[in-house]
Amino acid sequence: MDINTAIAEMHRAVTLEALQSLKVHYLGKNGLLTQEMKALGKLSPEERKERGRVLNEIKQALENAVRGREKELEAQALQSQLERESIDVSLPGYAFPAGGTHLTSQMQAELLSTFRRMGYSVVEGPEVESEFFNFDAINMPDWHPARDMQDTFWLKDSGDFDVMGPEGERVNNLGGLLMRTHTSPMQIRYMIEHTPPFKIVVPGRVFRYEQTDASHEAMFYQLEGLVVGPDIAMSDLKGAILELARSLYGAQAKARFQPTYFPFVEPGAQFALWWPEREKWLELGGSGMVHPNLFKAADDYRQKMGLPRVYDGMTGFAFGMGIERLALLRYGIPDIRYFYQQNRLSFLRQFKN
Ligand code: YSA
């Protein structure tokens, strides 16, 4: 074994693993130096003493060489790790995409805040509705031709639902289940559970089984309004819609009512708002004075549930409008299908708030 060769090899080791195997090769249990140490026993005492001293010096020198190289390699490893993991704080960061409020939600929030200012409460109702609330209770029994005006998604095999009274007796049959075709069923739901006077608006999704086109979606949002009290008149309805027009389009805005038919109001009127800036009328929805049959339906239901009748002598107005329709007209959007079906971010981002 040549000590100079051994030390030179150790200095040339480029990794800690290579150095470790050299250490084993020379100093390990069966290493070259260890073998020479073991051979000492065969020498005479004189020779053993001298050879032993030399071998110890060699051992010392090899161990020093291993330790020295180990330190160098460890320092190198640390250095390259630091270089690898260093962070350049001056590099530009990543911009994380932030979401925005959907155009329909923005429109809805604006409408709700207008009505809140006028003292209305905001309530919501179920999207899966019964035939009873969606049609029968609002004066559209199953023979009524007006049912055809709103093609319906029925829930498959939903069966009929019964409502039980306080004594466990069958109070009402709610018919089958469907996706509500408008927000009007909330008129009856609310009247059953509350005592007048009240003013509510009901925002929500509605569903119609119909061919989509530039102004018709199968799923869209409506805003329903209902005001009931002892002396509510048609002029109150006109005042509320005019206030809505002014809040959306400023002091010059106007509202227009034209007679039309909805089973749940008498008289009924469709309404439009005048947009002074563009000088045009925007047809927004339907409205009218609550039909006496709705008050009767609500009171009959209450009575069956053991609640007092509270709608005798009451009058009220109601209205319903399409929320997307308002946004379409306001921004001149050519097709309602941009809102949901195509999910096109380039469209939605134009209305980022
Ligand atoms: C009428 C009188 C009341 O006292 C209360 C409410 C109403 C509104 C009634 N419930 C209703 O749904 N009437 S409607 O079928 O004419 O729809 C109202 C508004 O919803 C429309 O004016 C339109 O703006 C919007 N709309 C209707 N079908 C639509 C639609 N928007 C998008 N896609 C469709 N398929």
Side-chain angles (χ1 to χ4, degrees), residues 22-40:
L22 284 171
K23 188 176 168 187
V24 172
H25 180 64
Y26 290 107
L27 296 164
K29 248 198 301 181
N30 298 313
L32 296 182
L33 186 67
T34 319
Q35 282 171 23
E36 293 205 31
M37 294 265 202
K38 282 180 187 160
L40 283 176

Side-chain angles (χ1 to χ4, degrees), residues 182 184 208 210 216-217 220 222 224 264-265 284-286 318 320 322:
H182 51 178
S184 300
R208 290 190 192 174
E210 62 185 20
H216 293 86
E217 258 293 6
F220 58 98
Q222 284 191 336
E224 187 87 9
F264 24 94
V265 279
L284 275 197

